[in-house]
Amino acid sequence: MFNFHKSVELTPARARAAERDSILSACAGATGDITLTDSAVIILYATMLGASDMFSLITTALMPLMNGLCIIPMAWLASRAGKNKFLIKVMCLSFLTYLLVVATPFFGTFSVPMLIGALTLFALFHTGFVAVWFPLLDSFLAPERRNAYLGKMRFGWQLTSALFILVVGLCIGKNPPLWHLQLALLTAALIYSLRIYFLARIPAFNTAKTENYGFKTGLSLAVSNKPLAGYSVYLFVLNLAAYGTIPLMIIYLKRYLAAPDNIIVLISSMTLIGMLLGSLFAGRIIKRVGLKHTFLGIHFIYALVNLAIFFIGKDTMGVGLTYTVITILLLIYSFTFANANIASTSEMMTLANPGNKVMAMAFCGTFYYGGSGLSRMVTSLVLGSGMFASEWYIGTVKFCHYQTIFLFYAIAIIFSSMLLVVVPAIFPKGEYVYMCNDR
């Protein structure tokens, strides 16, 4: 059944089977990924273990930061070892470290450092998956099916992830004991293990798309790809400005607005539903308004949402209305994020050099994930340093240091819009022309 040890010929039937297995692996894996690194569950888990605001936010920064630092070396290792076999090995290691995260409460006073260490190892091994994932898709996914597949895949993993986080939120209660979250993480880990099974069913296809370049040559070729390099820089700056909003809002809800834990998890699940809806409509939006206006709209909405959150304080409105408004804003934000993701992924796969897919995508991914991880890491350091006043006023209106950071996010997002001039899909360079397929 696990037939990745030898290459097979790519046929339409095998391509469809690979698409199905890859989507199932994405659904299983993303449910575990998001629960562990990008949801209210891990932040509340770290808080219960005694982590400060800084370390709670760091738990969400480790995966994208490690991707940014290690994706190119991992891509090189994958090209040397064989993508499929390398993928299975790193997934097995990441599953073991997932279990270590679940076990961290048993380490007593060392539970927080053990949690950070286990999450760092998980992020390291997971980077191997990220380095190989899109080149693996490229080995069986026809260009004309790319956008439709990406939309279907994202819809699948976002649906399963949202449903899982929603169930957790409904079950844990307002003030859950630690073992409730520990059980939620263990369940997510078991679901995550199914990714290994479905990935192992995808064979190594014998196609004309081969990686013929060594590490230095491949990296040099990616760097010299000017459209890809410019686009990568743009993604870095945009994610640096926009990627910290959702986890910071979770900490803001917990620490400053004193929201119940189950409410926080339910709001977290709503952000996943926003991403799901964004994936459903992204293709239609891009087709209807064009990619240029889509990207402009993304910047506008990112900035507007962060600015709106800046004005939401303890006494701005009633408690119920505050939670409702925050939920709606995060739904809009995550909907926009999904649109940006689909456009960005398709663009990255289009710009990657034929014959150098692994390294080209790893190069772009370094900037994408580096900006994402640094956004959260810098925010966590700002929170830990106490550099912003805990309270300040405009007239009689009181603001806290969390709100100050949301204001800085809005300003940074407006600044990043100036880099749209280097996005090839908006301003094509040379022979490159962006093709947006209808979903």
Side-chain angles (χ1 to χ4, degrees):
M1 177 169 50
F2 295 170
N3 51 3
F4 53 83
H5 294 288
K6 62 179 181 179
S7 297
V8 300
E9 292 297 324
L10 179 64
T11 64
R14 284 172 174 163
R16 297 295 184 272
E19 287 184 20
R20 182 192 65 242
D21 288 332
S22 63
I23 289 174
L24 291 172
S25 75
C27 291
T31 300
D33 288 346
I34 288 177
T35 305
L36 185 61
T37 64
D38 208 19
S39 75
V41 174
I42 189 61
I43 292 177
L44 295 175
Y45 186 65
T47 301
M48 287 186 181
L49 291 176
S52 63
D53 284 357
M54 182 179 73
F55 285 109
S56 295
L57 192 56
I58 283 175
T59 62
T60 70
L62 289 170
M63 182 181 291
L65 189 62
M66 195 63 68
N67 287 342
L69 292 173
C70 301
I71 193 170
I72 288 179
M74 284 291 188
W76 177 74
L77 289 173
S79 65
R80 300 270 296 184
K83 292 192 293 288
N84 296 59
K85 289 187 286 186
F86 179 81
L87 192 59
I88 300 304
K89 290 177 181 178
V90 294
M91 282 295 92
C92 290
L93 291 171
S94 63
F95 172 65
L96 292 176
T97 54
Y98 204 134
L99 295 178
L100 181 58
V101 170
V102 177
T104 51
F106 301 121
F107 289 88
T109 56
F110 297 99
S111 57
V112 173
M114 282 299 302
L115 175 64
I116 299 299
L119 286 172
T120 302
L121 287 175
F122 177 85
L124 175 64
F125 297 133
H126 188 270
T127 300
F129 165 78
V130 175
V132 176
W133 176 243
F134 287 115
L136 177 69
L137 297 185
D138 197 59
S139 70
F140 61 79
L141 186 61
E144 63 272 13
R145 293 184 56 82
R146 187 175 294 155
N147 279 0
Y149 170 86
L150 291 174
K152 185 186 299 184
M153 179 191 67
R154 281 196 167 88
F155 174 80
W157 71 253
Q158 287 161 2
L159 177 62
T160 54
S161 301
L163 289 176
F164 181 78
I165 299 298
L166 180 62
V167 170
V168 171
L170 293 172
C171 292
I172 63 172
K174 290 184 178 181
N175 297 290
L178 178 60
W179 72 267
H180 280 194
L181 294 182
Q182 202 174 7
L183 180 61
L185 286 172
L186 177 60
T187 305
L190 297 177
I191 295 172
Y192 179 83
S193 68
L194 294 175
R195 170 182 273 175
I196 302 170
Y197 170 77
F198 289 114
L199 285 176
R201 288 170 55 90
I202 302 174
F205 290 108
N206 182 21
T207 68
K209 300 175 183 178
T210 57
E211 305 295 329
N212 299 318
Y213 304 100
F215 178 80
K216 291 184 179 180
T217 304
L219 182 57
S220 177
L221 186 61
V223 172
S224 63
N225 183 338
K226 292 182 179 179
L228 180 69
Y231 182 66
S232 299
V233 172
Y234 162 76
L235 289 178
F236 175 85
V237 176
L238 176 61
N239 284 354
L240 181 62
Y243 210 76
T245 298
I246 292 177
L248 181 61
M249 175 52 76
I250 292 170
I251 293 177
Y252 181 53
L253 283 164
K254 176 67 176 178
R255 299 288 196 183
Y256 191 75
L257 298 181
D261 288 354
N262 59 339
I263 295 296
I264 296 173
V265 175
L266 288 173
I267 291 175
S268 179
S269 71
M270 291 300 104
T271 65
L272 296 175
I273 291 175
M275 292 186 69
L276 185 153
L277 295 174
S279 296
L280 277 177
F281 292 101
R284 300 173 196 174
I285 291 172
I286 293 171
K287 182 179 179 181
R288 185 176 183 85
V289 305
L291 196 67
K292 180 176 182 178
H293 292 97
T294 299
F295 270 104
L296 290 172
I298 286 166
H299 283 260
F300 176 77
I301 294 173
Y302 276 172
L304 187 63
V305 169
N306 278 284
L307 190 60
I309 294 172
F310 166 70
F311 286 105
I312 299 176
K314 278 184 177 179
D315 304 320
T316 305
M317 59 193 82
V319 173
L321 185 57
T322 296
Y323 297 157
T324 302
V325 171
I326 288 174
T327 301
I328 293 172
L329 288 173
L330 292 185
L331 269 170
I332 295 171
Y333 199 84
S334 56
F335 179 95
T336 307
F337 184 80
N339 278 264
N341 247 345
I342 286 188
S344 298
T345 301
S346 183
E347 181 84 342
M348 179 181 66
M349 294 179 73
T350 301
L351 288 172
N353 310 75
N356 193 41
K357 291 287 184 179
V358 171
M359 191 56 66
M361 292 180 189
F363 173 79
C364 189
T366 294
F367 287 85
Y368 180 93
Y369 293 110
S372 304
L374 279 177
S375 178
R376 297 177 178 184
M377 183 62 71
V378 170
T379 301
S380 69
L381 295 176
V382 168
L383 289 174
S385 69
M387 62 182 295
F388 292 135
S390 59
E391 290 183 355
W392 57 282
Y393 292 83
I394 298 179
T396 59
V397 181
K398 183 173 69 175
F399 297 90
C400 69
H401 60 296
Y402 298 109
Q403 291 166 280
T404 306
I405 297 174
F406 288 121
L407 178 61
F408 272 92
Y409 283 162
I411 295 170
I413 290 163
I414 294 171
F415 170 79
S416 69
S417 63
M418 292 188 293
L419 288 178
L420 284 169
V421 296
V422 302
V423 178
I426 300 178
F427 298 98
K429 304 294 191 297
E431 298 179 356
Y432 169 71
V433 178
Y434 180 79
M435 298 298 294
C436 179
N437 297 324
D438 183 13
R439 288 180 58 230

